[in-house]
């Protein structure tokens, strides 16, 4: 026996597949109401209005249910991708169980990377700006121990090629996700947004003046202690920006996250200049 919830869902789906049937029933209902008004007494008209109200209520309920099912179907299509389709091993042709599959569990042969797999998935990290960097580092070490090309020097040409590609991909994924700036820019890129080079004209004039002052102080620094103080101030700015970017991404405010990441790029550049300045005092 079908449960009441299952029965309602099937009926709603049938209504979606046969909209003409609902339309015919609706027209029939309307015709019945018109006939009652023209042939019955005024007392009967009140009952006809009640029936009409009930019919409208039922139609609204069916409409809401259709919208719910349609929305769920759209969400399913949006989340669906080729990554849900199981691939086969290039050598033994057996299905690959893991996703992403670095090795075939059946023949233990290294596999080529699957196109379109995100860095978050490769590194087994949550899709979050505030990800666990310690977990990221452990995953990196684990993958490189098994995928490093040195492990495949005595293997076939195909295995050597795939190990080099996989190892390089893991390196790139690790470096991208390790630092907040590159991680945030990558998250924007996944959403189809980029911060173009040479966008100083879009920056706030007061913000640009502040950057110029910091650069001047850094250039005029006479001791390592002065450079370290400037570096500490810049690090504080970067920490604050990291929190604000994380909050913006959690809210889904990509425009705000993009503006904050643009500021982070400037401060990250100054941070590198501080490191260069400190090397001059060694």
């Amino acid at each position: 026996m079908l449960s009441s919830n299952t029965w309602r869902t099937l009926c709603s789906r049938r209504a979606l597949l046969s909209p003409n049937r609902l339309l015919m029933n609706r027209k029939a209902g309307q015709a019945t109401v018109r006939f009652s008004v023209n042939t019955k007494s005024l007392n009967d008209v009140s009952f006809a209005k009640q029936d009409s109200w009930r019919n409208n209520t039922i139609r609204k309920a069916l409409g809401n249910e259709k919208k719910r099912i349609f929305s769920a179907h759209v969400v399913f299509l949006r989340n669906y991708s080729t990554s849900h389709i199981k691939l086969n091993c290039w050598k033994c042709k057996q299905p690959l169980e893991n996703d992403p599959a670095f090795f075939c569990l059946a023949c233990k042969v290294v596999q080529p990377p699957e196109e379109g797999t995100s860095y978050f998935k490769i590194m087994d990290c949550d899709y979050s700006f505030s990800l666990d960097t310690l977990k990221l580092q452990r995953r990196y070490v684990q993958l490189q121990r098994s995928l490093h090309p040195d492990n495949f020097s005595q293997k076939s040409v195909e295995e050597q090629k795939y190990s080099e590609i996989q190892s390089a991909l893991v390196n790139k994924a690790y470096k991208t996700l390790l630092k907040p700036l590159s991680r945030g820019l990558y998250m924007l890129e996944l959403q189809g947004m980029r911060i173009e080079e040479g966008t100083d004209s879009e920056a706030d004039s007061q913000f640009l003046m502040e950057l110029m002052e910091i650069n001047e102080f850094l250039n005029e620094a006479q001791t390592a202690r002065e450079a370290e103080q400037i570096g500490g101030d810049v690090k504080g700015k970067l920490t604050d920006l990291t929190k604000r970017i994380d909050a913006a991404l959690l809210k889904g405010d990509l425009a705000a996250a993009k503006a904050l990441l643009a500021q982070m790029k400037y401060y990250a550049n100054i941070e590198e200049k501080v490191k260069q300045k400190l090397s001059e005092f060694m």
Side-chain angles (χ1 to χ4, degrees):
M1 294 291 291
L2 294 175
S3 66
S4 58
N5 289 335
T6 304
W7 179 253
R8 290 194 202 97
T9 303
L10 290 174
C11 290
S12 300
R13 288 177 178 171
R14 185 180 298 174
L16 280 174
L17 294 174
S18 304
N20 292 333
R21 185 183 303 172
L22 282 178
L23 185 60
M24 291 173 62
N25 292 338
R26 184 182 301 174
K27 288 181 178 179
Q30 290 174 350
T32 302
V33 173
R34 291 195 190 97
F35 179 77
S36 64
V37 171
N38 291 331
T39 59
K40 293 186 177 182
S41 65
L42 292 177
N43 291 331
D44 291 336
V45 172
S46 62
F47 289 107
K49 287 183 178 180
Q50 291 180 5
D51 290 339
S52 177
W53 178 82
R54 292 192 189 97
N55 290 336
N56 287 335
T57 303
I58 294 172
R59 283 197 295 268
K60 287 180 181 179
L62 287 173
N64 291 335
E65 183 65 14
K66 285 193 292 182
K67 288 179 181 178
R68 185 187 68 78
I69 295 174
F70 179 75
S71 300
H73 183 61
V74 170
V75 170
F76 169 77
L77 291 176
R78 285 179 179 173
N79 291 336
Y80 181 80
S81 66
T82 55
S83 62
H84 291 81
I85 301 175
K86 281 192 175 182
L87 303 177
N88 294 330
C89 172
W90 63 271
K91 188 174 183 180
C92 71
K93 310 305 179 185
Q94 292 297 313
L96 299 174
E97 298 299 329
N98 295 333
D99 184 21
F102 296 100
F103 293 91
C104 172
L105 297 181
C107 66
K108 312 302 181 184
V109 169
V110 65
Q111 300 297 307
E114 185 179 352
E115 186 177 356
T117 305
S118 76
Y119 294 162
F120 290 94
K121 194 170 185 178
I122 291 172
M123 303 309 294
D124 192 25
C125 292
D126 295 332
Y127 181 76
S128 170
F129 184 70
S130 56
L131 58 77
D132 186 346
T133 54
L134 291 178
K135 179 183 177 182
L136 175 68
Q137 291 171 355
R138 288 194 296 268
R139 173 71 167 176
Y140 171 74
V141 172
Q142 173 196 356
L143 289 176
Q144 286 298 9
R145 280 177 178 170
S146 58
L147 293 171
H148 197 278
D150 289 349
N151 299 331
F152 299 86
S153 58
Q154 304 300 319
K155 301 292 184 179
S156 66
V157 175
E158 288 83 359
E159 290 176 85
Q160 292 178 23
K161 179 179 68 175
Y162 293 146
S163 70
E164 290 177 0
I165 296 173
Q166 289 278 26
S167 180
L169 181 60
V170 169
N171 270 330
K172 187 175 182 181
Y174 173 70
K175 291 179 179 178
T176 300
L177 299 183
L178 182 60
K179 293 186 177 181
L181 176 59
S182 54
R183 186 191 314 145
L185 293 175
Y186 177 66
M187 292 179 72
L188 281 186
E189 185 179 332
L190 290 178
Q191 300 297 327
M193 300 178 69
R194 292 178 179 271
I195 297 178
E196 302 296 336
E197 297 294 336
T199 56
D200 292 357
S201 58
E202 299 179 6
D204 182 73
S205 58
Q206 185 176 354
F207 172 70
L208 293 176
M209 287 294 295
E210 180 183 350
L211 293 176
M212 290 177 61
E213 290 180 358
I214 296 174
N215 278 307
E216 288 178 3
F217 288 141
L218 183 60
N219 291 331
E220 296 171 359
Q222 299 297 317
T223 64
R225 184 176 180 180
E226 292 178 353
E228 287 174 352
Q229 185 176 357
I230 296 172
D233 293 340
V234 171
K235 187 175 182 179
K237 295 280 189 182
L238 289 170
T239 301
D240 178 63
L241 282 170
T242 299
K243 294 178 181 178
R244 294 168 64 189
I245 292 168
D246 186 36
L249 289 172
L250 285 174
K251 292 179 182 178
D253 192 347
L254 297 179
K258 181 179 179 181
L260 293 169
L261 281 165
Q263 293 185 21
M264 180 176 275
K265 285 186 71 174
Y266 288 109
Y267 283 115
N269 184 40
I270 295 177
E271 189 177 41
E272 291 300 318
K273 291 180 180 179
V274 170
K275 293 178 182 178
Q276 294 176 6
K277 189 72 174 181
L278 288 172
S279 65
E280 296 176 1
F281 295 114
M282 291 182 178

